[in-house]
Amino acid sequence: MDVFKADVAIVGAGGAGLRAAIAVAEADPSLTVALISKVYPMRSHTVAAEGGSAGVVQANDSLQHHFDDTVTGGDWLCEQDTVDYFVAHCAEEMVQLEHWGCPWSRKDDGHVDIRAFGGMKIERTWFAADKTGFHMLHTLFQTSIKYPSIKRFDEHFCCDLIVDDGRCHGVLAIEIGTGEFRLIQAKAVIIATGGAGRVFRQNTNGGIVTGDGMALAYRYGVPLRDMEFIQYHPTCLPGSGLLITEACRGEGGIMVNKDGHRYLQDYGLGPADPWPRKKAMELGPRDRLCQAFWHEEQNGRTIATAQGQAVHLDLRHLGKEKLHQRLPQICEMAEAFLGVDPVYAPIPVRPAVHYTMGGILVDTKTASPLPGLYAAGECSSIGIHGANRLGSNSLAELCVFGKVAGSEAARFARSIAAANSTTIERQADAARQRAMNVVSRSKGSERISVLRNEMALSMERGCGIYRTGRDMQDTCDKIDELKLRYRDVEVGDKSSVWNTEWLLAIELGYLLDVAQAIVYSALNRKESRGAHQRLDGFDQRDDANYLKHSLAHYVDAGPPRIDYGPVAITRSQPGTRAYGAAGEQAERDRKRAGAAHE
Amino acid sequence: MNETHKVIAIEVLRYRPELDEKPFFQTYQVPFTEEMSVLQGLLYIKDELDGTLSFRWSCRMAICGSCGAMIDGVPMLGCHTFLRDYYPNKVRVEPLAHFPIERDLVVGADDFIGKLERIKPYIVPKEPRTLAEGEYLQTPAQLERILQFSSCINCMLCYAACPQYGLDPAFIGPGVLALLHRYNADSRDAARADRMQLVNAEEGVWSCTAVGYCSEVCPKGVDPANAVNQNKTASAADYFLHWLPKGSGK
């Protein structure tokens, strides 16, 4: 087997992986970085992020405001010390991207422009029109080219971790173009493989977002934390689930039901006017907006489209010039996929799965409990999103914690000697055999697409915007069943070159493990918090019993074991998440109380 | 699928180097709805009819640049091209022209990536600046000069459209020249002189025969032909400046 020896191996070359690679290269150019990605880096799903990335810059904004929006938005399930670190480093990372050439949108005076996003008290979203993720990703990829110590393994599919003697020593990858295995030995490994939105049917994610890194770490005993918290994005295209950015509402877009009524005012987010205004109505948090849609649909006030029920996102009042300048991609997408020109007609939208708040358990420095293994970005749970992520925090997270992961992995790699190669190679051979077995053991009785579709439908039913114990139990049973049937999955393609059917089968294995962690974590959380909302008698937040992180532990040939870990609460005690007029009143009360103290 | 669905014939170029002596066409009957893209048609084939068909794809929204193919002979993104526009005729899907076929619709992208890496596609700062000093100022007008050329998604459709690249693979080609121009035109950058050496070389802008098909097929409204032409002017200026005595013309 071909062996490559690196100091740091990074799996995934989206925003977090690239930022980590650059951080290693800048920390110590003598360290060799292996950057492994199943696609060319600029295809990574960071590319599809539209609206923007958070970073406090305005004089009337503060780190405290960003902290509060994040922790409140997360329904107090955030690691507050980590949130403090995060908000303090966002703007610096955005400036760093600017120095690297990111074409941020500008104000007339040449400074970077910012826009408002949902759940945000003051504008702090940096943006590059409505292609922010695209520009960040290409900037990072192109910048990474200037560092000779970064050795890329493009179109290499990571099929296993190499773990021995309680430490991670590298990864096993399949070169997709040849089907050859390559052992990438490393003193430290960073997982940066993104989320797992493809376990659901209607989602905003690309086909590659299959939870690979989450499943791999999980199988080696690293817990997946807070997996029940799945973010639905309120404005997606019916059917395909393609994303219509929150920036549409940040720019002043409104949402109406079939009667032309701005229904969000009926769900504690009003009053409707004056508009636009922060943290109210269409600029409420994502979980609340999705829940309101669900009720509207239940009450027959949504609009029937060929692709299912929808509401209208109306941008017409913004005018052609502003739409084309600030939301060009949205105009293009609406035209191409719906035949709708947003200048003249509203866009039908509905919620779809967008983001996995939970992920690989890591500490504030991105280290997982498995020595030598780090994680950053959507695949990780560093604790800044809690039960519901604040819009525009995820792009910032890629940079802030991608950099931390790179520096920490570099430090760790310098501190230890390489492991015994013979043992590592023996491990790699065993891993190779397991990957080959996916093809050779095949009894040919189960189709990949059938299992995948049954999983996605069942997850949507059991882990939707609102959940009940019965539905979640049904989904648990279904996923258990699918895992058994997966053993007989058919891979008809026996060739080596670009055997994507084989890779789909391995990905399906990842998806099923992650799906199982999600639904069992959900079933066990007997309260409602953030994106996890129950209708079966657990419809309130229960801080006494559930102000804690859930941890899903992998169990071989059985459902996961779920237990809980503490939440770091430093200075924001759980309170009411109030938006709209109620939120403004709560803010005034807080200020009055604060003034009384002084 | 219910019976109201129409059925379209998708004719796909197949080539599996381990099995097939040469490429051949295989036709699949695919039920489709109004909103289905060619990519969705291919995914239907992969899931329901033939798991051995290989192609690249991911985002489904014309931004990741993975799913370029020749669709009825024209370089297009599969996710951004719709079956309804071909029905009731069949639609033919082939790998991007001018690239080696690795398998089925997958072409080798090494040449393109290698070229992209060669042009220093990153800022070499004019004036170094610390993070504490904040961002470089850039007016909306200065941004406008680079924005279009920074919108390239590296989908390589323009290479499949470029007759010159088809004849001479040494030609840097439209997409990468557009990216080169994006950095040269950036108010923060100082590496123009280095990059102009590539522009002026045999395989640089002078290989372009100004057909302009590259700009026509670009799914993101980038105008590589314009970038190439601006660099022809710049390259010619460099050439004449070269003959001036040292120190003049600065």
Side-chain angles (χ1 to χ4, degrees):
Chain A
M1 189 184 320
D2 187 46
V3 181
F4 183 84
K5 291 190 179 174
D7 293 290
V8 178
I10 301 172
V11 187
L18 286 164
R19 184 65 189 88
I22 294 172
V24 178
E26 296 211 318
D28 185 346
S30 73
L31 296 178
T32 302
V33 182
L35 181 58
I36 303 140
S37 170
K38 64 180 176 180
V39 291
Y40 282 104
M42 66 284 190
R43 316 293 186 215
S44 309
H45 198 61
T46 304
V47 80
E50 294 169 355
S53 180
V56 171
V57 279
Q58 239 171 232
N60 61 345
D61 198 5
S62 70
L63 298 182
Q64 182 64 42
H65 288 324
H66 190 187
F67 174 94
D68 284 337
D69 289 344
T70 301
V71 173
T72 311
D75 221 349
W76 280 274
L77 205 66
C78 302
E79 295 292 280
Q80 295 185 7
D81 47 353
T82 309
V83 174
D84 266 325
Y85 180 89
F86 170 66
V87 300
H89 289 82
C90 288
E92 173 186 290
E93 280 299 309
M94 298 305 105
V95 171
Q96 177 65 82
L97 282 168
E98 195 279 334
H99 288 193
W100 285 336
C102 187
W104 295 120
S105 293
R106 302 280 177 160
K107 293 190 280 209
D108 287 340
D109 66 4
H111 284 287
V112 166
D113 201 2
I114 47 172
R115 66 163 47 129
F117 242 58
M120 203 178 263
K121 186 180 162 61
I122 293 163
E123 300 90 336
R124 70 174 74 92
T125 298
W126 297 49
F127 64 101
D130 57 355
K131 299 181 195 171
T132 309
F134 162 82
H135 284 300
M136 285 175 60
L137 182 68
H138 280 249
T139 299
L140 286 166
F141 169 57
Q142 289 163 14
T143 300
S144 78
I145 289 168
K146 83 180 170 192
Y147 300 95
S149 60
I150 301 174
K151 165 82 181 130
R152 288 205 324 270
F153 292 86
D154 296 338
E155 297 192 324
H156 276 63
F157 183 96
C158 181
C159 64
D160 219 330
L161 301 180
I162 305 299
V163 176
D164 184 54
D165 202 19
R167 222 179 87 195
C168 185
H169 297 284
V171 306
L172 184 68
I174 300 166
E175 184 178 38
I176 300 173
T178 60
E180 280 167 23
F181 285 83
R182 187 155 288 136
L183 166 61
I184 299 176
Q185 204 181 322
K187 296 176 190 164
V189 173
I190 302 170
I191 306 263
T193 51
R198 301 295 291 190
V199 300
F200 291 87
R201 191 176 62 102
Q202 279 194 96
N203 65 76
T204 65
N205 291 183
I208 58 176
V209 189
T210 48
D212 305 11
M214 290 179 183
L216 285 170
Y218 179 48
R219 290 172 186 177
Y220 283 95
V222 178
L224 297 182
R225 182 166 72 178
D226 294 340
M227 292 302 285
E228 63 272 40
F229 300 104
I230 298 294
Q231 183 163 76
Y232 281 73
H233 194 293
T235 56
C236 306
L237 299 186
S240 66
L242 292 176
L243 176 66
I244 300 297
T245 175
E246 192 156 308
C248 293
R249 289 168 281 133
E251 298 292 347
I254 58 168
M255 294 173 75
V256 298
N257 64 15
K258 78 172 168 55
D259 306 317
H261 174 61
R262 286 176 69 193
Y263 60 94
L264 292 170
Q265 61 190 293
D266 305 333
Y267 299 90
L269 292 159
D273 291 308
W275 181 251
R277 89 189 184 281
K278 318 288 181 300
K279 277 185 114 161
M281 290 300 289
E282 286 82 357
L283 285 175
R286 292 177 177 174
D287 54 347
R288 292 287 170 83
L289 264 61
C290 292
Q291 290 153 19
F293 175 90
W294 186 92
H295 288 292
E296 289 293 297
E297 185 175 20
Q298 293 295 306
N299 293 316
R301 290 194 291 266
T302 47
I303 300 152
T305 75
Q307 299 300 307
Q309 295 296 310
V311 287
H312 275 157
L313 173 64
D314 197 339
L315 306 175
R316 287 176 293 183
H317 55 291
L318 302 181
K320 186 174 176 175
E321 193 186 340
K322 187 167 189 179
L323 283 173
H324 285 190
Q325 193 207 344
R326 310 272 273 204
L327 301 165
Q329 179 168 244
I330 294 308
C331 295
E332 187 193 304
M333 282 172 65
E335 185 78 56
F337 295 108
L338 298 170
V340 166
D341 181 348
V343 176
Y344 303 107
I347 310 172
V349 293
R350 59 158 298 123
V353 164
H354 183 51
Y355 190 86
T356 36
M357 260 77 74
I360 301 166
L361 170 67
V362 293
D363 65 15
T364 53
K365 303 263 184 172
T366 74
S368 84
L370 177 64
L373 188 73
Y374 297 79
E378 190 176 346
C379 69
S380 71
S381 170
I382 199 159
I384 62 168
H385 305 313
N388 171 60
R389 176 174 68 80
L390 187 71
S392 66
N393 271 358
S394 66
L395 286 176
E397 177 189 21
L398 302 179
C399 299
V400 172
F401 293 111
K403 180 183 178 184
V404 173
S407 330
E408 289 296 309
R411 194 184 51 73
F412 184 82
R414 276 198 305 259
S415 74
I416 55 157
N420 179 333
S421 290
T422 330
T423 329
I424 305 298
E425 281 169 35
R426 205 172 323 121
Q427 294 275 348
D429 276 331
R432 175 176 177 275
Q433 203 50 54
R434 283 194 295 275
M436 296 294 285
N437 283 348
V438 176
V439 183
S440 56
R441 77 180 172 203
S442 166
K443 292 182 199 158
S445 56
E446 296 285 356
R447 287 187 69 88
I448 295 171
S449 60
V450 169
L451 299 185
R452 197 179 56 222
N453 291 341
E454 286 186 29
M455 169 193 70
L457 264 180
S458 180
M459 287 300 288
E460 194 160 274
R461 220 170 278 141
C463 295
I465 294 167
Y466 282 101
R467 303 163 175 187
T468 66
R470 210 174 105 186
D471 287 344
M472 287 186 281
Q473 185 60 58
D474 284 352
T475 300
C476 287
D477 298 343
K478 184 68 181 178
I479 303 295
D480 294 349
E481 172 208 313
L482 292 172
K483 282 195 65 167
L484 287 176
R485 287 165 60 193
Y486 174 71
R487 295 179 182 176
D488 299 326
V489 75
E490 179 198 14
V491 179
D493 192 337
K494 308 293 181 195
S495 61
S496 306
V497 174
W498 272 96
N499 185 343
T500 49
E501 193 177 26
W502 176 30
L503 305 183
L504 282 176
I506 300 176
E507 282 176 344
L508 177 60
Y510 294 152
L511 287 166
L512 286 168
D513 281 350
V514 174
Q516 204 179 31
I518 292 171
V519 65
Y520 276 90
S521 301
L523 180 66
N524 278 269
R525 183 172 285 277
K526 297 186 175 65
E527 64 154 357
S528 288
R529 182 186 298 271
H532 177 69
Q533 293 292 318
R534 293 183 67 145
L535 295 169
D536 54 348
F538 303 109
D539 56 347
Q540 298 295 315
R541 201 174 75 198
D542 176 3
D543 289 332
N545 293 303
Y546 285 100
L547 183 55
K548 52 193 185 185
H549 296 296
S550 52
L551 298 167
H553 303 265
Y554 184 78
V555 173
D556 207 15
R561 178 170 58 81
I562 307 294
D563 59 17
Y564 295 88
V567 181
I569 291 179
T570 55
R571 59 195 154 89
S572 173
Q573 290 304 316
T576 309
R577 287 179 72 205
Y579 296 91
E584 285 152 27
Q585 185 57 48
E587 174 72 15
R588 278 193 294 275
D589 292 347
R590 266 199 298 275
K591 277 191 183 146
R592 207 172 302 129
H597 276 296
E598 277 171 24
Chain B
M1 292 273 162
N2 65 44
E3 66 250 284
T4 59
H5 289 159
K6 299 170 188 161
V7 175
I8 188 168
I10 303 184
E11 189 179 75
V12 186
L13 192 80
R14 299 298 311 272
Y15 176 62
R16 294 153 300 177
E18 295 152 281
L19 298 173
D20 307 320
E21 251 175 56
K22 55 179 193 222
F24 64 99
F25 281 103
Q26 188 165 357
T27 302
Y28 301 94
Q29 301 297 327
V30 175
F32 76 102
T33 50
E34 273 299 293
E35 76 294 339
M36 263 175 80
S37 63
V38 170
L39 171 63
Q40 283 171 298
L42 294 175
L43 288 168
Y44 180 87
I45 296 171
K46 179 90 180 162
D47 280 351
E48 310 296 334
L49 307 177
D50 185 351
T52 69
L53 178 66
S54 285
F55 50 92
R56 293 187 180 103
W57 71 285
S58 181
C59 77
R60 312 170 285 143
M61 52 186 272
I63 194 76
C64 80
S66 303
C67 66
M70 305 302 286
I71 301 178
D72 270 7
V74 180
M76 311 268 257
L77 293 178
C79 69
H80 216 229
T81 307
F82 296 88
L83 293 171
R84 60 177 181 254
D85 296 330
Y86 297 88
Y87 185 80
N89 298 318
K90 66 175 184 188
V91 56
R92 175 178 273 204
V93 187
E94 299 164 89
L96 283 178
H98 306 155
F99 292 97
I101 304 176
E102 290 192 355
R103 170 175 173 164
D104 299 337
L105 299 175
V106 179
V107 296
D110 297 353
D111 180 57
F112 173 82
I113 298 291
K115 284 172 173 156
L116 188 149
E117 290 170 338
R118 261 172 65 204
I119 58 143
K120 296 197 179 186
Y122 42 82
I123 297 280
V124 177
K126 239 182 223 164
E127 307 153 19
R129 201 176 168 89
T130 63
L131 293 180
E133 289 172 289
E135 77 263 43
Y136 291 94
L137 296 185
Q138 188 170 57
T139 63
Q142 286 172 322
L143 173 65
E144 198 57 39
R145 282 205 279 280
I146 62 165
L147 200 54
Q148 190 223 119
F149 302 109
S150 67
S151 298
C152 169
I153 61 172
N154 300 347
C155 66
M156 314 194 298
L157 298 194
C158 55
Y159 284 73
C162 174
Q164 191 56 32
Y165 181 68
L167 291 171
D168 178 12
F171 177 37
I172 296 176
V176 172
L177 280 170
L179 187 66
L180 180 149
H181 180 68
R182 172 254 174 277
Y183 281 101
N184 275 357
D186 195 306
S187 56
R188 298 162 287 191
D189 181 81
R192 183 178 174 279
D194 279 359
R195 295 194 199 96
M196 284 312 281
Q197 287 177 12
L198 272 170
V199 168
N200 300 339
E202 185 73 13
E203 66 273 24
V205 284
W206 299 106
S207 288
C208 166
T209 52
V211 174
Y213 191 30
C214 52
S215 298
E216 241 175 82
V217 302
C218 177
K220 304 314 280 185
V222 182
D223 188 355
N226 178 352
V228 172
N229 270 319
Q230 288 194 39
N231 281 291
K232 277 183 182 166
T233 316
S235 180
D238 279 3
Y239 176 81
F240 290 114
L241 286 174
H242 175 76
W243 295 101
L244 294 173
K246 276 203 172 88
S248 61
K250 295 258 173 176

